[in-house]
Amino acid sequence: MQQRCNSRKGLYHPEFEHDACGVGFIADITGHRSYEIVRKAVQAVANLTHRGAVDADAKTGDGAGILTQIPRKLFSREVERLGHRALEGEDLAVGMIFLPRLDAAANNRCRVTIEEAVDHYDLTFFGWRQVPVEVSVLGDTAAELLPDIQQVLIGRPGSMSEVEFERSLYLVRKQIERSVYRHGIRGCYICSLSNRTIIYKGMMVAPQLSRFYKDLKNPDFESALAIFHQRYSTNTMPNWFLAQP
């Protein structure tokens, strides 16, 4: 446990001593997207490792994450790989999803629930993408609780405005969350579902973030902004869901 000083020394006042998460923001003020913004954000959150905590295995952290704009170049290629026409602008939405890893039936139920919600709001379902990860960098506890990390790729129909698309994505997410809760499906969690931003996060310390998520090392992962976070767990036990971007 960290030792605190209880007396005033110079400009130091013990009443201002607080434990807290580490959080930050980086952006290109011209709006130009580049991998450099992502690279700097990953390095910045790694520099905030001391703001988090580490489990007894010395590798499992309270959680770390990053929010960026959707890297269009990377995901347009993924849409083409799934056999569809590449999309431009904000016609493509990506959902970052944690699914149950050890329960095949629950995993399938989550996928069906998500696909049904997408279809219900007349959006275009392109398919699923297995997020490339490196499990060996995780601590024992984090690896044991690791979810099946997937991305769902969704398109905007030509007859739908951008505002309607955003609204529909919000409603899709709410329908999924209600259905998961109503049917008692455990381990199904939406990190993000948007045509603008995406979240990569997990039960880890910040230096593991880009080593675990291989996308964050891809030069095609371009963004003009990034919000990053190293969690310090205060009133809840660490888990994959509670890590924050």
Side-chain angles (χ1 to χ4, degrees), residues 37-232:
I37 290 293
V38 178
R39 187 192 67 78
K40 288 180 177 179
V42 167
Q43 181 59 55
V45 71
N47 292 340
L48 294 176
T49 302
H50 63 285
R51 300 307 305 172
V54 182
D55 194 24
D57 64 13
K59 292 178 69 178
T60 298
D62 281 357
I66 183 172
L67 177 149
T68 71
Q69 292 174 305
I70 292 176
R72 301 294 173 191
K73 190 183 299 184
L74 190 157
F75 282 105
S76 288
R77 187 168 63 244
E78 290 299 318
V79 170
E80 289 184 299
R81 184 182 61 80
L82 291 168
H84 303 277
R85 176 180 59 85
L87 298 180
E88 298 181 358
E90 294 176 346
D91 291 342
L92 173 65
V94 181
M96 186 74 162
I97 315 291
F98 290 166
L99 300 174
R101 182 172 59 91
L102 302 178
D103 187 336
N107 187 300
N108 184 67
R109 184 65 179 274
C110 289
R111 290 173 184 259
V112 170
T113 298
I114 292 168
E115 291 175 23
E116 287 178 344
V118 172
D119 181 68
H120 178 77
Y121 286 96
D122 298 321
L123 302 182
T124 303
F125 173 78
F126 289 130
W128 292 92
R129 177 183 185 245
Q130 178 82 52
V131 180
V133 298
E134 181 54 63
V135 180
S136 64
V137 307
L138 297 176
D140 295 339
T141 305
E144 180 182 351
L145 300 175
L146 176 68
D148 176 19
I149 306 175
Q150 298 279 339
Q151 287 165 338
V152 58
L153 278 61
I154 303 169
R156 176 172 73 96
S159 59
M160 184 177 288
S161 71
E162 290 187 14
V163 172
E164 289 173 328
F165 188 35
E166 284 191 276
R167 183 184 297 117
S168 295
L169 289 169
Y170 173 79
L171 294 173
V172 165
R173 176 169 187 159
K174 301 311 292 184
Q175 177 170 313
I176 294 167
E177 292 172 341
R178 286 195 300 268
S179 182
V180 166
Y181 177 79
R182 184 170 60 251
H183 293 100
I185 306 173
R186 295 184 176 273
C188 186
Y189 175 81
I190 302 173
C191 301
S192 61
L193 179 59
S194 171
N195 65 328
R196 295 179 182 272
T197 60
I198 189 168
I199 290 173
Y200 284 72
K201 69 175 189 175
M203 190 176 171
M204 61 191 75
V205 288
Q208 296 169 337
L209 191 61
S210 63
R211 292 161 54 205
F212 177 74
Y213 285 116
K214 296 180 181 181
D215 285 347
L216 297 178
K217 291 283 192 181
N218 191 326
D220 287 339
F221 199 114
E222 297 176 337
S223 177
L225 61 88
I227 299 172
F228 49 86
H229 183 267
Q230 167 68 70
R231 185 171 188 247
Y232 182 88

